[in-house]
Amino acid sequence: MRCRPTPQPSRSRPSSGDVMSNFTSPADLRMLDDYRWQLLAPFDFHVGSYPSSTIISVPAGTVTDLATIPRFLWALFPPHGRYAKAAIIHDYLYDRAIGSKAYADKVFLEAMEVLKVPRLTRLILYCAARLFGRGNY
């Protein structure tokens, strides 16, 4: 199992025909109880580029804990950090075993890049998902 993400070609400013992957709507959430959230409206992520032929659509009603991070690390990586929208997509892929675990983890990494999560944080969370993530695979 690899922890290191595959190097991506450097991206210069995208032209009008080459737009990076994208979230198409905000994450509209309601807190249910201790650290569980429910999505109130559908939530989409275009994988690879926008618009994309691969769209991950998370339906309203989906329950998530946002980023699944051990509580003792919350001071450094709170579940609701800048990467929370990426974590919702990742949870959805894991819960429904969509694609492979490696695919879900790569989408998580890509989504964090779109959200401009700092590189070191992306790498740490991606490696944690690769090494410790379970899901239904």
Side-chain angles (χ1 to χ4, degrees):
M1 178 182 314
R2 277 180 59 153
C3 175
R4 188 176 316 168
T6 13
Q8 299 294 320
S10 63
R11 296 180 194 223
S12 56
R13 285 198 161 283
S15 68
S16 61
D18 180 29
V19 179
M20 197 169 164
S21 51
N22 199 359
F23 289 93
T24 58
S25 57
D28 189 7
L29 300 166
R30 170 180 53 209
M31 187 171 200
L32 296 175
D33 55 27
D34 289 340
Y35 314 108
R36 288 185 333 128
W37 299 82
Q38 182 178 42
L39 198 58
L40 297 176
F43 181 64
D44 294 339
F45 179 68
H46 287 248
V47 179
S49 62
Y50 180 80
S52 173
S53 59
T54 305
I55 301 170
I56 299 169
S57 296
V58 183
T62 298
V63 175
T64 179
D65 66 351
L66 301 176
T68 308
I69 296 174
R71 188 177 290 219
F72 72 91
L73 293 174
W74 284 6
L76 297 172
F77 304 105
H80 59 277
R82 179 180 282 187
Y83 38 78
K85 288 170 71 173
I88 293 168
I89 298 293
H90 192 244
D91 281 357
Y92 179 74
L93 294 173
Y94 263 38
D95 289 348
R96 287 159 183 79
I98 296 171
S100 65
K101 181 183 180 309
Y103 171 75
D105 294 342
K106 278 187 167 184
V107 168
F108 180 49
L109 181 63
E110 179 181 328
M112 287 191 290
E113 184 179 356
V114 168
L115 294 168
K116 297 182 180 8
V117 173
R119 182 171 167 69
L120 181 60
T121 301
R122 282 195 320 254
L123 182 61
I124 290 169
L125 294 178
Y126 172 77
C127 286
R130 291 298 301 140
L131 297 172
F132 305 111
R134 302 240 186 263
N136 290 316
Y137 295 102

